Amino acid sequence: MIETPSLVDQYCHGVLRTELGLGTFEAHLARGEGLPAPGTTFFDTQTGFAVRRWCPPLLGLEPHCPPAHYLARRRELGVLEVGRKLLRGTGITTYLVDTGLPGDLTGPGEMASTGAADAHEIVRLELLAEQVADTSGTVESFLANLAESVHGAAAHAVAFTSVAGARHGLALAPQPPGPGEVRGAAGRWLADRRVGGVLNDPVLLRHLLWIAVASGRPLQLHVGLGEPGLRIDRTDPALFTDFARATAGLGTDLVLLHGYPYHRHAAHLAGVFPHVYADLGAALVRTGARAAAVLSEILELAPFGKLLFSSGAHALPELHVVAAHLFREALARVLGAWVAEGAWSQPDAQRVAGLIAAGNAKRVYGVR
């Protein structure tokens, strides 16, 4: 028996405060660009099946109940009670919350109270830069305010996160851009954008990453699958190898989020560079009943002190539940088999499980 009594969710988002209809709920299960194929449903995915397995019992229903029954029960209880029952059924004791997505999502404080847990903020670098740009009149003020804002955020956030891969791709030049290059890029971007425009200039993205590295806070980098429509060939973590090498020895840890389907590449980088860590979040949630097979592949390559549990959940508290249960089940199945075969001892398996579930995140982020 491999036990993980508590989990640190090292990357997630808040949950929606509003009631959801069938279509909206399904959209958050798949996060595709449109509707399911005619006559089909997004519940017919690995994630959808996992929701039907693990979430109904927390709301007083049988496992695998029909989606319509589950959503009716959800509406009957109300969004606040559903959030409380589901989040408190995860065994997650600490949430690290990326507050950089739009929508009516709960913040760290609400996640803490709803889930009876601790919660801390992760600051999304690109959103921070866009907010600074909206209130800065000149290139000089933008760059000065940007540096000041990152420094100020480092005082309260446990980490920074970047979606540079989604905005441009991870094949960025690894070295910091020069001052003249940064001023020129800032001038062009500010002149062309409207208020609320997204940051996608490669020079400014590099500049932002290096400001974050200088802060000393852990820097999370989104790799692999992500936003709908993303060109995933541009988010292979192998493309970030030179940046990992350039930041080695500077005192800032890099955490490769999500990873899948490049989870082996992320695990490899975590094995090569002392300051690089790999996340287990979306890789397990997306693969559902196959989660143990994917976890085995990650454990082939990464040192066990370099792997971190997360849910990567967004909008639906069900995704926090699914992530926690799939992680525990996959870890118990994989490590338990190795113990049964005599390859590992039970105490070693339990120690490694504790590291991946919570211990590594506590060390990297300095949380309880």
Side-chain angles (χ1 to χ4, degrees):
M1 179 68 70
I2 308 298
E3 297 181 353
T4 50
S6 66
L7 303 173
V8 174
D9 187 347
Q10 67 106 24
Y11 182 81
C12 68
H13 302 279
V15 300
L16 285 167
R17 300 184 180 96
T18 51
E19 302 286 354
L20 300 177
L22 174 62
T24 307
F25 189 94
E26 281 198 45
H28 288 297
L29 281 182
R31 300 192 68 189
E33 288 194 49
L35 299 174
T40 71
T41 168
F42 284 141
F43 271 100
D44 285 339
T45 59
Q46 287 285 4
T47 304
F49 270 51
V51 166
R52 291 176 54 215
R53 165 62 184 93
W54 297 111
C55 297
L58 296 175
L59 303 187
L61 300 172
E62 291 295 318
H64 309 296
C65 72
H69 292 179
Y70 179 76
L71 293 177
R73 177 62 171 162
R74 214 180 184 276
R75 289 191 296 272
E76 177 187 350
L77 291 172
V79 66
L80 295 178
E81 181 65 5
V82 166
R84 190 186 69 82
K85 286 180 176 291
L86 292 178
L87 292 182
R88 295 187 184 193
T90 62
I92 295 171
T93 56
T94 303
Y95 294 97
L96 307 189
V97 184
D98 175 359
T99 56
L101 285 184
D104 189 21
L105 301 174
T106 55
E110 291 170 279
M111 290 291 290
S113 59
T114 303
D118 292 328
H120 306 273
E121 183 180 11
I122 299 168
V123 170
R124 183 171 291 212
L125 288 169
E126 290 79 13
L127 176 62
L128 184 65
E130 290 153 9
Q131 292 170 337
V132 170
D134 287 341
T135 58
S136 299
T138 65
V139 169
E140 289 72 21
S141 64
F142 166 67
L143 294 176
N145 292 342
L146 180 60
E148 183 179 345
S149 294
V150 173
H151 178 75
H156 69 267
V158 295
F160 290 107
T161 192
S162 170
V163 289
R167 295 293 179 84
H168 180 269
L170 295 176
L172 295 165
Q175 69 274 8
E181 192 179 4
V182 171
R183 283 194 297 273
R188 291 188 297 273
W189 180 62
L190 291 172
D192 292 341
R193 80 185 287 269
R194 297 180 179 179
V195 172
V198 300
L199 175 61
N200 55 14
D201 181 272
V203 172
L204 293 182
L205 290 171
R206 286 164 53 209
H207 178 60
L208 199 54
L209 292 176
W210 278 100
I211 296 176
V213 167
S215 77
R217 289 294 189 194
L219 174 58
Q220 302 173 335
L221 302 158
H222 292 242
V223 302
L225 293 178
E227 296 301 315
L230 180 68
R231 281 277 304 273
I232 65 168
D233 57 315
R234 297 176 179 173
T235 60
D236 184 340
L239 297 172
F240 235 59
T241 302
D242 291 340
F243 183 82
R245 184 172 290 113
T247 54
L250 298 182
T252 296
D253 291 326
L254 307 180
V255 183
L256 303 177
L257 294 177
H258 311 323
Y260 191 79
Y262 302 114
H263 48 288
R264 281 183 165 175
H265 293 182
H268 167 71
L269 291 176
V272 170
F273 296 104
H275 66 308
V276 175
Y277 292 77
D279 167 57
L280 301 176
L284 304 188
V285 172
R286 287 181 179 269
T287 52
R290 290 282 296 165
V294 174
L295 178 61
S296 294
E297 293 178 345
I298 297 171
L299 291 171
E300 291 173 6
L301 293 164
F304 311 127
K306 306 295 287 299
L307 297 173
L308 304 164
F309 163 77
S310 82
S311 69
H314 164 243
L316 302 180
E318 283 84 356
L319 298 179
H320 294 275
V321 174
V322 164
H325 281 285
L326 287 175
F327 169 73
R328 285 195 172 96
E329 184 183 64
L331 197 66
R333 186 181 301 177
V334 173
L335 300 190
W338 294 345
V339 171
E341 294 165 0
W344 285 34
S345 71
Q346 176 73 27
D348 277 342
Q350 188 59 61
R351 180 175 57 83
V352 169
L355 288 175
I356 300 173
N360 293 336
K362 291 179 180 179
R363 183 180 74 253
V364 171
Y365 299 104
V367 299
R368 294 187 288 116

